[in-house]
């Protein structure tokens, strides 16, 4: 009951001064890195501990629900959300290499190496580069789905900078874990469309398939979500390159076994894309990590699950907000690049 009251206060009863400090409608800014120009938003005071949000496959910074971002900010964090390379308003400074998704997907199914234009490590380096440009030395990281995979690399590459790691609906990438249905894989990779109307219908189909069986989706609401994303940016080729980066990634188990960053793993019991054993396996390979399973949660931020998600994440982040004791004698994880 106390948690419910606490969350209700965060979401609905906040003082106006907190609301103005945590205005999610701040301007989108841009920072230039070597290969890409990243679009980002910074919500909260620059003096507050930073929390970097890393979105999943094809997701834009707008796919972080505003009320969730505000709740994180109101916990005393400077929340930074950004468009990964190849999506949203982020843009290439150097054109990416060409690749054929259908051909690489066939190689992947045959167990052959996949050639991707870039790797998840490159994407992790983007996030670290963004924080360098913002002159943020240490920060917390919260990643969802592919963003959770990227976050794992960030923690391995810069363990003395990452104060805590929160991994939601993501995976270790190990072989033998349950696979998504073929239908869902087809929906996920079906990104070419002759016009806006078809693109919106395709995205609504995908959102519905990623949702929880405990929730009946409003089709019109899904179409509005799809329209918001499409009208901001639509780059199906970029999403295909992100898919190839995931397929080209070897198992991260060796990397995870060496991590010493405080970690919370949150996973849904009804996840159709990365079934629940992905979360269980991930937590089992990060020493000292905590695992929180949410009944009925699938592979989307749905209204019915915002309170359970915040109930899992907010207390954990608050506990580690100022704790840097794990930094002692941490060295970057050394994992060879197999690509």
């Amino acid at each position: 009951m106390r948690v419910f009251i606490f969350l209700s206060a965060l979401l609905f009863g906040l003082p106006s001064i907190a609301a103005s400090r945590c205005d999610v409608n701040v301007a989108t800014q841009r920072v230039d890195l070597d290969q890409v120009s990243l679009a980002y938003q910074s919500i909260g005071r620059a003096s507050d501990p930073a929390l970097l949000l890393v979105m999943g496959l094809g997701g834009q910074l707008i796919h972080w629900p505003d009320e969730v971002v505000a709740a994180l900010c109101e916990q005393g964090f400077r929340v930074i959300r950004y468009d990964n390379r190849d999506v949203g308003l982020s843009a290439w400074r150097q054109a990416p290499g060409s690749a054929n998704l259908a051909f690489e997907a066939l190689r992947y199914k045959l167990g052959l190496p996949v050639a991707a234009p870039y790797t998840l490590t490159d994407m992790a380096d983007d996030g670290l580069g963004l924080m360098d440009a913002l002159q943020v030395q240490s920060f917390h990281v919260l990643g969802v789905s592919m963003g959770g995979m990227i976050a794992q690399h960030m923690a391995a590459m810069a363990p003395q900078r990452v104060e805590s790691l929160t991994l939601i609906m993501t995976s270790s990438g190990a072989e033998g874990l349950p696979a998504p249905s073929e239908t869902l894989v087809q929906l996920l990779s079906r990104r070419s469309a002759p016009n806006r109307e078809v693109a919106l219908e395709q995205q609504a189909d995908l959102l519905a398939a990623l949702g929880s069986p405990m929730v009946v989706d409003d089709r019109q609401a899904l179409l509005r979500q799809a329209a918001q994303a499409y009208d901001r940016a639509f780059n199906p080729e970029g999403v295909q390159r992100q898919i190839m980066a995931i397929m080209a990634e070897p198992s991260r188990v060796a990397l995870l076994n060496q991590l010493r960053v405080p970690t919370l793993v949150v996973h849904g019991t009804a996840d159709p894309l990365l079934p629940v054993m992905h979360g269980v396996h991930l937590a089992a390979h990060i020493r000292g990590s905590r695992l929180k399973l949410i009944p009925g949660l699938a592979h989307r931020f749905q209204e019915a699950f915002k309170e359970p998600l915040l109930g899992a994440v907010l207390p954990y982040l608050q506990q580690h907000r100022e704790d840097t004791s794990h930094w002692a004698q941490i060295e970057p994880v050394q994992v060879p690049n197999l690509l």
Side-chain angles (χ1 to χ4, degrees):
M1 186 64 180
R2 289 181 179 177
V3 171
F4 175 76
I5 294 173
F6 171 67
L7 294 177
S8 297
L10 279 174
L11 292 174
F12 306 114
L14 295 162
S16 59
I17 187 171
S20 61
R21 178 174 62 82
C22 296
D23 181 11
V24 297
N25 296 311
V26 297
T28 298
Q29 302 181 71
R30 189 176 295 279
V31 63
D32 290 338
L33 306 179
D34 289 342
Q35 291 186 313
V36 293
S37 176
L38 295 182
Y40 74 94
Q41 288 181 330
S42 177
I43 298 101
R45 292 186 295 251
S47 58
D48 286 337
L51 171 62
L52 181 65
L53 305 183
V54 191
M55 182 43 71
L57 175 66
Q60 303 180 42
L61 65 82
I62 60 172
H63 288 112
W64 293 103
D66 285 346
E67 59 269 37
V68 171
V69 173
L72 293 168
C73 175
E74 286 147 7
Q75 284 284 282
F77 288 98
R78 175 191 183 185
V79 182
I80 299 164
R81 56 180 175 176
Y82 69 105
D83 291 329
N84 281 312
R85 61 168 64 190
D86 256 339
V87 297
L89 303 182
S90 291
W92 287 97
R93 289 162 55 81
Q94 299 177 6
S98 61
N100 185 311
L101 177 59
F103 177 73
E104 298 302 335
L106 177 60
R107 291 181 61 85
Y108 179 77
K109 289 181 180 180
L110 295 174
L112 299 173
V114 172
Y118 52 80
T119 67
L120 296 186
T121 306
D122 293 327
M123 299 182 79
D125 199 47
D126 290 345
L128 294 173
L130 170 61
M131 301 310 273
D132 286 341
L134 296 179
Q135 299 183 340
V136 178
Q137 177 57 33
S138 61
F139 49 93
H140 304 261
V141 182
L142 190 161
V144 60
S145 195
M146 180 191 73
M149 303 173 193
I150 295 169
Q152 293 165 40
H153 282 293
M154 286 187 189
M157 294 162 67
Q160 294 198 14
R161 300 183 68 183
V162 176
E163 298 186 34
S164 76
L165 196 58
T166 302
L167 305 173
I168 300 177
M169 57 185 78
T170 188
S171 177
S172 64
E175 295 182 5
L177 290 171
S181 69
E182 189 64 29
T183 299
L184 187 53
V185 171
Q186 291 175 1
L187 287 172
L188 195 62
S189 59
R190 188 183 62 175
R191 294 286 175 160
S192 59
N195 54 52
R196 180 179 184 274
E197 182 180 2
V198 172
L200 299 191
E201 293 289 346
Q202 289 181 355
Q203 183 64 10
D205 289 343
L206 176 59
L207 291 172
L210 291 171
S212 172
M214 296 173 58
V215 176
V216 178
D217 283 310
D218 178 342
R219 181 72 179 185
Q220 292 306 309
L222 295 182
L223 288 169
R224 286 193 295 271
Q225 291 178 38
Q228 181 189 22
Y230 182 97
D231 293 341
R232 183 173 184 265
F234 182 64
N235 186 6
E237 294 80 12
V239 177
Q240 291 176 7
R241 286 190 287 265
Q242 289 187 353
I243 291 173
M244 284 184 275
I246 295 172
M247 291 193 302
E249 176 89 347
S251 168
R252 289 179 296 281
V253 168
L255 178 154
L256 296 171
N257 285 339
Q258 298 179 63
L259 283 187
R260 298 296 181 266
V261 175
T263 303
L264 171 67
V265 176
V266 181
H267 216 96
T269 62
D271 194 320
L273 183 65
L274 298 173
V276 65
M277 283 307 298
H278 285 259
V280 173
H281 186 267
L282 177 63
H285 284 278
I286 302 177
R287 181 183 295 182
S289 66
R290 302 182 192 177
L291 174 64
K292 175 66 176 179
L293 300 181
I294 298 181
L297 176 67
H299 205 82
R300 262 176 56 211
F301 290 126
Q302 292 176 282
E303 188 66 36
F305 297 100
K306 284 177 184 174
E307 184 182 312
L309 277 166
L310 287 172
V313 171
L314 291 182
Y316 180 80
L317 285 172
Q318 189 60 33
Q319 176 186 351
H320 291 282
R321 184 168 170 267
E322 303 289 353
D323 183 12
T324 58
S325 59
H326 71 284
W327 287 0
Q329 299 181 343
I330 290 181
E331 296 294 337
V333 174
Q334 299 297 324
V335 176
N337 187 346
L338 302 181
L339 300 182

